[in-house]
Amino acid sequence: MQVTLPSIGLPEGHARDETGAPVPAGWGFLRGPKGKITDPAKITSTDPDRGYSGKPGGVRGTAPMSDYQDKFSKIVDLLEERSPQGLSISAIARELGMNRASVSKYLEMLQSSGDVSMQRFGRSKLYTPAHQVPFSELFDRLSSAIVILDADLRILMVNTSFIKALGIHRERNIIGAPLFDLNLRILSDPAIRRNIERIRAAGPYLAEMQHIEDSTNHIHLIEFAPIASRAGKPGIMISLRDITAWKNAEVALKNSEKKIRTIFETAPSGIVFFAVDGTILNANRASLRILGLKDFQELVNGNIFDISCYKGKILELIRQGKVAETELVCDFDLLKQEQRIPSSRSGIAYFDVVFTPIALDGGGAPREFAILFWDVTTERLTRKELVFKETRYRSFFENTCNGVLIYEPVDDGNEYIFKDINHATEQILRMKKEDLIGRKLFEVFPDLPDPDVRNALIRVLKTEKPEFLLPLQYRKGKDSPWIWHYIFKLPSGEIASFMIDVSDAIREDAEGPLRACGMHRQHSRDQPAPVSHAD
């Protein structure tokens, strides 16, 4: 591809302004570094066709260069004063008292340098100050380092980025020098030189190359393009950009994508991506296994709303558009019958789900979403069964007529902490549950027969064989109940005890002999006295 420079033309010589910076001949020689008109007396040029003699202070003719500078400034000042109204050549000549032909030449030069603009109205030409950014300033502000070569591979133009990128001293003038004689880093690479030679020879070439600089490990993108000046002379434009940060970011992005892909493919939890209308976009292997499918094609015609028994729940999550945890229920029999999804599973399944929207780079409402899910059917059914058993146990525990005590052994079985008691125990011991839970058995009831009770508990703890305890009292006193115990060890390591209040039986057994003795006395009193007879 060949590039032609704008109407300002490719310079055929080279020039320097008062700062020593290179100025392209033919378009930039009237502007200084900040866009101000530069005194031509301070510019030298090798271009014989531009009207300069090559020496300061002389143009073809005898007028001093300062006179030309003054006239350039007057013309531009007048145009800016009358802006936005345009002025014709005649009007400018009249206003400034100048020769019309001279004004025409000055305007032609100012237009070529980008200082004025011209519009035609019929046969008239109206001039106004140029509002566009001058090409020289634009070229110098480009972030890419650019060098333009002529057909002999001599440097015609460079911008500030090129000087900085290649570490060229600002006082060094490289304009007009052969590129290959400068030994510039990067551009001295043999492969890059061969590519430049191919362009000059009009042969096949690479439009861009990447180069790794050994000394810094920086990566540069180098672009090449053949160009032509306005006069039709060939040249070459080369641009360089340091793309190290971009390459590092690219590598980091690829590594990140690889990690995400690995997680997606190997995660034991199901991951499904879907669109706002429910269309399933992608699913990992774990998803297929959980759903009882062989490959993604069996799911691709399905819809995320079909998998859940409650479509409204997913719609609400989409509407809220934020990360959330929930539970979904799937009826596999219904899924096979109505949606024709060939799952190997049947019955009802329960899934714990993390829902997340996929944020857009530009913001706005998300259009894609993902769910991370895992099958909790077994856990849920087990939990349900456990709740049922717990309810059944608690009902039996609380409503049985016998007292039930649960102890936790501590200090190698020398002491026991109350863990639970039922309502019947509260009545038997005449104490509230909250007054016993967490307290020690022998501290609360120091009157318990010791070591009989303690030794029995230790034996059950160690041998795991149940034992009966003879009726005993927790507190001494006539009114304290007599309690019979059946103690045994639980799988948890705790000790349980069934309690029965046998106070009435104990009292009856104790009162039986007394009642018999009383009845004997009463019977003796009721018998008639014996009669004695004398012989």
Side-chain angles (χ1 to χ4, degrees):
M1 180 181 69
Q2 181 166 291
V3 178
T4 302
L5 289 178
S7 60
I8 44 85
L10 177 68
E12 295 148 3
H14 67 274
R16 298 187 301 277
D17 64 15
E18 64 268 28
T19 67
V23 178
W27 53 271
F29 57 87
L30 294 176
R31 285 187 176 271
K34 296 186 181 299
K36 301 296 183 183
I37 295 179
T38 302
D39 187 351
K42 297 180 181 178
I43 300 178
T44 62
S45 175
T46 58
D47 183 1
D49 298 327
R50 297 299 180 188
Y52 290 95
S53 65
K55 300 178 181 179
V59 181
R60 290 174 187 160
T62 58
M65 291 299 289
S66 59
D67 289 350
Y68 288 96
Q69 168 68 19
D70 181 60
K71 289 181 173 56
F72 288 142
S73 297
K74 284 183 178 180
I75 292 173
V76 172
D77 288 345
L78 177 63
L79 292 176
E80 288 181 348
E81 180 184 338
R82 299 293 180 87
S83 180
Q85 177 186 351
L87 295 178
S88 64
I89 297 173
S90 300
I92 295 171
R94 245 187 344 265
E95 290 282 346
L96 298 179
M98 294 170 59
N99 180 274
R100 187 182 184 283
S102 298
V103 170
S104 177
K105 291 293 183 183
Y106 292 141
L107 287 170
E108 182 180 342
M109 297 173 69
L110 288 169
Q111 184 181 356
S112 177
S113 66
D115 288 288
V116 301
S117 299
M118 185 270 290
Q119 287 184 315
R120 288 184 177 275
F121 287 89
R123 298 179 61 185
S124 299
K125 299 177 181 178
L126 295 182
Y127 293 86
T128 56
H131 298 294
Q132 69 271 18
V133 178
F135 181 79
S136 56
E137 288 191 24
L138 182 64
F139 178 75
D140 211 38
R141 292 178 182 273
L142 293 175
S143 59
S144 295
I146 299 177
V147 57
I148 295 178
L149 310 175
D150 65 12
D152 296 322
L153 303 185
R154 295 178 179 273
I155 295 178
L156 291 176
M157 296 171 60
V158 298
N159 63 356
T160 301
S161 297
F162 185 87
I163 299 294
K164 291 179 179 178
L166 297 181
I168 301 170
H169 196 279
R170 293 193 66 85
E171 299 301 323
R172 183 183 181 188
N173 183 20
I174 61 173
I175 301 299
L179 175 67
F180 294 161
D181 291 351
L182 298 176
N183 270 336
L184 298 177
R185 42 184 279 267
I186 303 174
L187 294 179
S188 60
D189 183 280
I192 295 174
R193 289 192 173 198
R194 284 195 298 272
N195 200 51
I196 294 172
E197 291 286 4
R198 289 191 191 99
I199 299 174
R200 181 170 69 165
Y205 68 94
L206 296 175
E208 61 179 48
M209 300 174 68
Q210 291 186 13
H211 176 269
I212 300 178
E213 195 171 8
D214 292 334
S215 60
T216 62
N217 283 328
H218 279 215
I219 306 171
H220 293 85
L221 175 66
I222 308 169
E223 297 176 286
F224 306 86
I227 59 175
S229 71
R230 187 172 53 182
K233 294 186 177 181
I236 301 172
M237 182 171 66
I238 305 171
S239 70
L240 299 91
R241 279 188 294 135
D242 189 329
I243 60 170
T244 308
W246 176 72
K247 278 291 183 181
N248 290 340
E250 184 180 49
V251 171
L253 180 61
K254 287 182 179 178
N255 289 338
S256 178
E257 289 177 347
K258 184 178 180 181
K259 291 176 183 176
I260 293 173
R261 174 57 58 182
T262 301
I263 293 173
F264 180 77
E265 292 298 337
T266 61
S269 302
I271 303 173
V272 174
F273 292 93
F274 60 94
V276 69
D277 62 356
T279 301
I280 295 175
L281 306 174
N282 203 355
N284 67 348
R285 285 196 291 265
S287 298
L288 303 178
R289 174 179 52 79
I290 293 171
L291 297 175
L293 302 174
K294 294 179 181 178
D295 55 56
F296 181 68
Q297 291 303 316
E298 295 179 337
L299 184 63
V300 73
N301 294 325
N303 192 289
I304 196 67
F305 303 126
D306 300 333
I307 295 176
S308 173
C309 291
Y310 307 106
K311 178 180 178 180
K313 183 175 288 188
I314 297 181
L315 287 173
E316 179 61 19
L317 292 173
I318 292 174
R319 188 191 65 78
Q320 293 176 356
K322 58 185 181 182
V323 177
E325 295 183 16
T326 186
E327 181 183 77
L328 295 180
V329 181
C330 177
D331 186 338
F332 283 103
D333 295 330
L334 197 63
L335 197 65
K336 289 186 284 189
Q337 291 173 8
E338 296 187 358
Q339 306 304 327
R340 303 299 181 187
I341 294 179
S343 173
S344 61
R345 298 190 59 175
S346 59
I348 302 294
Y350 300 88
F351 304 131
D352 275 352
V353 174
V354 176
F355 168 90
T356 180
I358 308 299
L360 300 174
D361 290 339
R367 304 295 299 169
E368 294 182 5
F369 307 87
I371 58 169
L372 174 72
F373 68 103
W374 52 98
D375 191 341
V376 294
T377 306
T378 302
E379 292 88 338
R380 183 183 174 92
L381 295 178
T382 301
R383 189 167 63 247
K384 184 178 179 181
E385 179 68 15
L386 186 61
V387 169
F388 172 74
K389 290 181 178 180
E390 173 67 19
T391 303
R392 184 168 58 188
Y393 157 77
R394 181 56 58 181
S395 176
F396 167 78
F397 183 82
E398 291 295 343
N399 297 318
T400 182
C401 61
N402 297 327
V404 183
L405 273 163
I406 307 294
Y407 307 109
E408 179 186 359
V410 294
D411 193 20
D412 294 328
N414 288 311
E415 186 58 275
Y416 298 84
I417 295 174
F418 287 101
K419 299 298 291 183
D420 203 359
I421 67 172
N422 67 351
H423 182 62
T425 301
E426 289 182 299
Q427 292 180 325
I428 294 171
L429 297 181
R430 300 168 189 174
M431 291 187 70
K432 293 293 184 183
K433 183 176 183 175
E434 54 268 23
D435 295 331
L436 289 175
I437 300 303
R439 299 181 65 185
K440 294 180 179 178
L441 172 65
F442 293 107
E443 286 184 0
V444 179
F445 301 105
D447 294 338
L448 279 171
D450 195 11
D452 296 343
V453 173
R454 193 188 305 270
N455 290 340
L457 291 171
I458 291 175
R459 284 195 304 272
V460 171
L461 181 65
K462 291 183 176 180
T463 66
E464 299 187 5
K465 293 181 179 180
E467 287 194 18
F468 292 97
L469 289 181
L470 294 174
L472 56 84
Q473 288 179 299
Y474 275 70
R475 290 189 177 91
K476 293 178 180 179
K478 186 174 65 174
D479 295 332
S480 179
W482 289 85
I483 303 171
W484 174 86
H485 292 79
Y486 173 73
I487 56 176
F488 56 96
K489 187 178 179 181
L490 297 173
S492 62
E494 298 168 316
I495 299 294
S497 174
F498 287 136
M499 306 166 61
I500 299 176
D501 186 346
V502 293
S503 300
D504 292 342
I506 294 294
R507 291 191 183 98
E508 285 180 5
D509 288 346
E511 292 174 358
L514 295 177
R515 283 199 304 271
C517 184
M519 289 175 65
H520 178 72
R521 289 195 188 100
Q522 182 66 35
H523 178 74
S524 298
R525 284 195 297 266
D526 293 342
Q527 291 296 321
V531 178
S532 60
H533 298 276
D535 292 335

